[in-house]
Amino acid sequence: MKVLKIANIPGDGVGKEVVPAASEVLNALAEVHGGIRFEFENFPWSCEYYLEHGTMMPEDGLDRLRNFDAVFLGAVGNKELVPDHISLWGLLIKIRREFEQVINVRPAKRFEGIQSPLANPKDFDLIVVRENSEGEYSSIGGTIHQGEDEIAIQNAVFSRKGTERAIRYAFELASRRKKHVTSATKSNGIVYSMPFWDKVFEEVARDYPGFETDSQHIDALAAFFVTRPEKFDVIVASNLFGDILTDVGAAIMGSIGIAPAANINVNGKYPSMFEPVHGSAPDIIGKGIANPVGQIWTGKMMLDHFGEEELGRELLEIIENVTRDGFLTPDVGGSHTTKEVSDEIISRVRKLG
Ligand code: NAI
Ligand code: MG
């Protein structure tokens, strides 16, 4: 029996509604499978926790997470209680940074039954691999002078190690998919880091003969996500480019409530963290109508990460069938509750057995 120890951090807002729902789905899958078991432990770290304790997580919080196989997080943020920069940096970003989660992975896929803002979407199924530790989001730079002489300098950092790591991750991922990797670049406008990025991409590509590769400037690529997303398989991008692209990816799916994500620790020293793209959705808290699909699909990414890809595939197929059959929360045009959608998924999971 493979026992998977998962640290659940539901966090704030709808995180508290979708994490329990998704954990129930994972438990049902494990039961049907028979060979794995989830051991979930719940951590109440959130903005409410902050009001009581003055920190988003206890001082030894990271130590307590360290020995889990993964962190399963809902959402963090409640602007009415705690400013966003304190809550996000005190929990979510702290975990990403300290646990060296240097790769962010976000799939986007067309779901039958969920209306995309695209007029006639073809079946797209893509994954963006985003470098998550350096690039344009570095804290190197500074400001000088005041008034009309004021200057701000922000440096981008591209190490060979970080760049190669992200690109190689993308190729490995593509090797289990359509073997097609697209690189997001801007070497016509950014003259040092992007030609370097292109060079490393070409070097890594040589290790993967038989793969289809292409390189697109980020502006055109963002447009292609709208005009022909079905042409892509795996896209690898720097921190900023990946951030922007993945929001387009979530948008063309139809709702941020269904978009999943993973923050991957690739050196095996710390657990990876799985969290949907959406935030705490303050406008719908407590109504029981949060879309659980983003969190459940995030659970599928966790299964893939543990090598349970067959089980992950089965779960995604069930999610797609459930949305196709009209079990939809209001954000995607339905009138079902969180529980009705997740219960339907669970009942179909049980039928696998
Ligand atoms: P948000 O993602 O929470 O909400 C944006 C819109 O999407 C809202 O209309 C919301 O109702 C809807 N939505 C989000 N998730 C949904 C779901 N599962 N089902 C149905 N509808 C859903 O983004 P917003 O409003 O900008 O941020 C709210 C709070 O969440 C802030 O404190 C923000 O800092 C935090 N946040 C946290 C993130 C995280 O933990 N990774 C990511 C984004 C925001
Ligand atoms: Mg973003």
Side-chain angles (χ1 to χ4, degrees), residues 10 33 65 73 76 128 147 157 177 190 203 205 213-214 237 250 264 272 300:
H33 178 281
L65 297 178
L73 185 137
V76 179
V128 178
V157 174
R177 295 172 50 97
I190 301 176
E203 283 171 17
T213 60
D214 60 343
I264 306 291
S272 296
K300 174 249 190 283

PDB file of all heavy atoms in Angstrom, residues 10 33 65 73 76 128 147 157 177 190 203 205 213-214 237 250 264 272 300:
ATOM      1  N   PRO A  10      -6.447  24.678   3.420  1.00  0.00           N
ATOM      2  CA  PRO A  10      -7.582  25.256   2.692  1.00  0.00           C
ATOM      3  C   PRO A  10      -7.455  26.772   2.557  1.00  0.00           C
ATOM      4  O   PRO A  10      -7.873  27.343   1.547  1.00  0.00           O
ATOM      5  CB  PRO A  10      -8.792  24.882   3.548  1.00  0.00           C
ATOM      6  CG  PRO A  10      -8.330  23.761   4.421  1.00  0.00           C
ATOM      7  CD  PRO A  10      -6.850  23.958   4.622  1.00  0.00           C
ATOM      8  N   HIS A  33      -8.954   2.361  -6.326  1.00  0.00           N
ATOM      9  CA  HIS A  33      -7.659   1.889  -6.808  1.00  0.00           C
ATOM     10  C   HIS A  33      -7.142   0.734  -5.942  1.00  0.00           C
ATOM     11  O   HIS A  33      -6.628  -0.266  -6.445  1.00  0.00           O
ATOM     12  CB  HIS A  33      -6.689   3.079  -6.786  1.00  0.00           C
ATOM     13  CG  HIS A  33      -5.301   2.760  -7.200  1.00  0.00           C
ATOM     14  ND1 HIS A  33      -4.392   2.157  -6.367  1.00  0.00           N
ATOM     15  CD2 HIS A  33      -4.637   2.973  -8.367  1.00  0.00           C
ATOM     16  CE1 HIS A  33      -3.229   2.009  -6.998  1.00  0.00           C
ATOM     17  NE2 HIS A  33      -3.368   2.508  -8.218  1.00  0.00           N
ATOM     18  N   LEU A  65       5.678  21.140   7.525  1.00  0.00           N
ATOM     19  CA  LEU A  65       5.235  20.698   6.192  1.00  0.00           C
ATOM     20  C   LEU A  65       6.270  19.812   5.493  1.00  0.00           C
ATOM     21  O   LEU A  65       5.947  19.040   4.600  1.00  0.00           O
ATOM     22  CB  LEU A  65       4.977  21.905   5.291  1.00  0.00           C
ATOM     23  CG  LEU A  65       3.869  22.874   5.694  1.00  0.00           C
ATOM     24  CD1 LEU A  65       3.808  24.026   4.693  1.00  0.00           C
ATOM     25  CD2 LEU A  65       2.517  22.164   5.759  1.00  0.00           C
ATOM     26  N   LEU A  73      -3.153  23.113  -1.450  1.00  0.00           N
ATOM     27  CA  LEU A  73      -3.587  24.414  -0.941  1.00  0.00           C
ATOM     28  C   LEU A  73      -4.812  24.929  -1.701  1.00  0.00           C
ATOM     29  O   LEU A  73      -4.944  24.682  -2.896  1.00  0.00           O
ATOM     30  CB  LEU A  73      -2.416  25.391  -1.065  1.00  0.00           C
ATOM     31  CG  LEU A  73      -2.614  26.794  -0.487  1.00  0.00           C
ATOM     32  CD1 LEU A  73      -1.351  27.230   0.265  1.00  0.00           C
ATOM     33  CD2 LEU A  73      -2.913  27.826  -1.563  1.00  0.00           C
ATOM     34  N   VAL A  76      -5.382  31.806  -0.715  1.00  0.00           N
ATOM     35  CA  VAL A  76      -4.992  32.659   0.404  1.00  0.00           C
ATOM     36  C   VAL A  76      -5.391  34.100   0.088  1.00  0.00           C
ATOM     37  O   VAL A  76      -5.160  34.573  -1.016  1.00  0.00           O
ATOM     38  CB  VAL A  76      -3.463  32.595   0.625  1.00  0.00           C
ATOM     39  CG1 VAL A  76      -3.059  33.502   1.775  1.00  0.00           C
ATOM     40  CG2 VAL A  76      -3.040  31.163   0.910  1.00  0.00           C
ATOM     41  N   VAL A 128       1.335  25.054 -19.924  1.00  0.00           N
ATOM     42  CA  VAL A 128       2.403  26.045 -19.842  1.00  0.00           C
ATOM     43  C   VAL A 128       3.328  25.674 -18.678  1.00  0.00           C
ATOM     44  O   VAL A 128       2.862  25.469 -17.557  1.00  0.00           O
ATOM     45  CB  VAL A 128       1.852  27.466 -19.628  1.00  0.00           C
ATOM     46  CG1 VAL A 128       3.000  28.476 -19.505  1.00  0.00           C
ATOM     47  CG2 VAL A 128       0.928  27.868 -20.775  1.00  0.00           C
ATOM     48  N   GLY A 147      11.603  63.226  -7.939  1.00  0.00           N
ATOM     49  CA  GLY A 147      10.972  64.158  -8.879  1.00  0.00           C
ATOM     50  C   GLY A 147      11.232  63.782 -10.320  1.00  0.00           C
ATOM     51  O   GLY A 147      11.251  62.613 -10.672  1.00  0.00           O
ATOM     52  N   VAL A 157      16.926  38.278 -14.159  1.00  0.00           N
ATOM     53  CA  VAL A 157      18.002  37.324 -13.893  1.00  0.00           C
ATOM     54  C   VAL A 157      17.715  36.009 -14.614  1.00  0.00           C
ATOM     55  O   VAL A 157      16.677  35.396 -14.391  1.00  0.00           O
ATOM     56  CB  VAL A 157      18.122  37.053 -12.380  1.00  0.00           C
ATOM     57  CG1 VAL A 157      19.148  35.959 -12.113  1.00  0.00           C
ATOM     58  CG2 VAL A 157      18.481  38.325 -11.632  1.00  0.00           C
ATOM     59  N   ARG A 177       3.478  13.414 -23.764  1.00  0.00           N
ATOM     60  CA  ARG A 177       2.334  13.982 -24.479  1.00  0.00           C
ATOM     61  C   ARG A 177       2.585  13.916 -25.985  1.00  0.00           C
ATOM     62  O   ARG A 177       2.925  12.858 -26.483  1.00  0.00           O
ATOM     63  CB  ARG A 177       2.080  15.417 -23.995  1.00  0.00           C
ATOM     64  CG  ARG A 177       1.657  15.471 -22.532  1.00  0.00           C
ATOM     65  CD  ARG A 177       1.598  16.897 -22.021  1.00  0.00           C
ATOM     66  NE  ARG A 177       0.839  17.788 -22.868  1.00  0.00           N
ATOM     67  CZ  ARG A 177      -0.446  18.116 -22.675  1.00  0.00           C
ATOM     68  NH1 ARG A 177      -1.103  17.623 -21.647  1.00  0.00           N
ATOM     69  NH2 ARG A 177      -1.051  18.945 -23.501  1.00  0.00           N
ATOM     70  N   ILE A 190      14.423  41.988 -26.583  1.00  0.00           N
ATOM     71  CA  ILE A 190      15.209  41.907 -25.344  1.00  0.00           C
ATOM     72  C   ILE A 190      16.519  41.227 -25.710  1.00  0.00           C
ATOM     73  O   ILE A 190      16.546  40.032 -25.997  1.00  0.00           O
ATOM     74  CB  ILE A 190      14.425  41.120 -24.266  1.00  0.00           C
ATOM     75  CG1 ILE A 190      13.086  41.823 -23.998  1.00  0.00           C
ATOM     76  CG2 ILE A 190      15.248  41.011 -22.996  1.00  0.00           C
ATOM     77  CD1 ILE A 190      12.184  41.092 -23.026  1.00  0.00           C
ATOM     78  N   GLU A 203      19.935  24.093 -27.334  1.00  0.00           N
ATOM     79  CA  GLU A 203      20.836  23.064 -26.782  1.00  0.00           C
ATOM     80  C   GLU A 203      20.050  21.902 -26.183  1.00  0.00           C
ATOM     81  O   GLU A 203      20.350  20.741 -26.428  1.00  0.00           O
ATOM     82  CB  GLU A 203      21.723  23.684 -25.693  1.00  0.00           C
ATOM     83  CG  GLU A 203      22.870  24.511 -26.243  1.00  0.00           C
ATOM     84  CD  GLU A 203      23.602  25.279 -25.142  1.00  0.00           C
ATOM     85  OE1 GLU A 203      23.444  24.938 -23.935  1.00  0.00           O
ATOM     86  OE2 GLU A 203      24.323  26.226 -25.487  1.00  0.00           O
ATOM     87  N   ALA A 205      16.996  21.075 -26.796  1.00  0.00           N
ATOM     88  CA  ALA A 205      16.216  20.403 -27.841  1.00  0.00           C
ATOM     89  C   ALA A 205      17.030  19.310 -28.529  1.00  0.00           C
ATOM     90  O   ALA A 205      16.483  18.281 -28.937  1.00  0.00           O
ATOM     91  CB  ALA A 205      15.721  21.426 -28.864  1.00  0.00           C
ATOM     92  N   THR A 213       9.709  21.271 -32.364  1.00  0.00           N
ATOM     93  CA  THR A 213       9.941  22.453 -31.518  1.00  0.00           C
ATOM     94  C   THR A 213       9.674  23.719 -32.320  1.00  0.00           C
ATOM     95  O   THR A 213       9.821  23.730 -33.539  1.00  0.00           O
ATOM     96  CB  THR A 213      11.396  22.524 -31.016  1.00  0.00           C
ATOM     97  OG1 THR A 213      12.264  22.593 -32.138  1.00  0.00           O
ATOM     98  CG2 THR A 213      11.754  21.342 -30.158  1.00  0.00           C
ATOM     99  N   ASP A 214       9.266  24.746 -31.645  1.00  0.00           N
ATOM    100  CA  ASP A 214       9.222  26.051 -32.281  1.00  0.00           C
ATOM    101  C   ASP A 214       9.378  27.142 -31.237  1.00  0.00           C
ATOM    102  O   ASP A 214       9.277  26.897 -30.035  1.00  0.00           O
ATOM    103  CB  ASP A 214       7.966  26.255 -33.135  1.00  0.00           C
ATOM    104  CG  ASP A 214       6.698  26.148 -32.326  1.00  0.00           C
ATOM    105  OD1 ASP A 214       6.740  25.614 -31.204  1.00  0.00           O
ATOM    106  OD2 ASP A 214       5.650  26.613 -32.810  1.00  0.00           O
ATOM    107  N   ALA A 237       8.111  28.974 -20.729  1.00  0.00           N
ATOM    108  CA  ALA A 237       8.208  30.438 -20.695  1.00  0.00           C
ATOM    109  C   ALA A 237       8.921  30.908 -19.437  1.00  0.00           C
ATOM    110  O   ALA A 237       8.902  30.241 -18.399  1.00  0.00           O
ATOM    111  CB  ALA A 237       6.804  31.050 -20.747  1.00  0.00           C
ATOM    112  N   ALA A 250      -6.200  30.312 -18.766  1.00  0.00           N
ATOM    113  CA  ALA A 250      -7.363  30.133 -17.883  1.00  0.00           C
ATOM    114  C   ALA A 250      -8.591  30.806 -18.494  1.00  0.00           C
ATOM    115  O   ALA A 250      -9.701  30.261 -18.452  1.00  0.00           O
ATOM    116  CB  ALA A 250      -7.071  30.714 -16.503  1.00  0.00           C
ATOM    117  N   ILE A 264       6.284  22.998  -8.594  1.00  0.00           N
ATOM    118  CA  ILE A 264       7.064  21.771  -8.483  1.00  0.00           C
ATOM    119  C   ILE A 264       8.453  22.015  -7.908  1.00  0.00           C
ATOM    120  O   ILE A 264       9.200  22.860  -8.395  1.00  0.00           O
ATOM    121  CB  ILE A 264       7.212  21.090  -9.868  1.00  0.00           C
ATOM    122  CG1 ILE A 264       5.837  20.855 -10.514  1.00  0.00           C
ATOM    123  CG2 ILE A 264       7.987  19.794  -9.754  1.00  0.00           C
ATOM    124  CD1 ILE A 264       4.981  19.816  -9.839  1.00  0.00           C
ATOM    125  N   SER A 272       6.297  19.385  -3.194  1.00  0.00           N
ATOM    126  CA  SER A 272       5.706  20.286  -4.181  1.00  0.00           C
ATOM    127  C   SER A 272       4.359  20.745  -3.646  1.00  0.00           C
ATOM    128  O   SER A 272       3.811  20.155  -2.715  1.00  0.00           O
ATOM    129  CB  SER A 272       5.535  19.570  -5.515  1.00  0.00           C
ATOM    130  OG  SER A 272       6.795  19.217  -6.045  1.00  0.00           O
ATOM    131  N   LYS A 300      -5.693  15.985  -9.602  1.00  0.00           N
ATOM    132  CA  LYS A 300      -5.245  15.097 -10.690  1.00  0.00           C
ATOM    133  C   LYS A 300      -3.752  15.340 -10.988  1.00  0.00           C
ATOM    134  O   LYS A 300      -2.988  14.403 -11.222  1.00  0.00           O
ATOM    135  CB  LYS A 300      -6.090  15.337 -11.952  1.00  0.00           C
ATOM    136  CG  LYS A 300      -5.618  14.569 -13.178  1.00  0.00           C
ATOM    137  CD  LYS A 300      -5.056  15.508 -14.215  1.00  0.00           C
ATOM    138  CE  LYS A 300      -4.770  14.887 -15.557  1.00  0.00           C
ATOM    139  NZ  LYS A 300      -3.604  14.083 -15.723  1.00  0.00           N
TER     140      LYS A 300
END
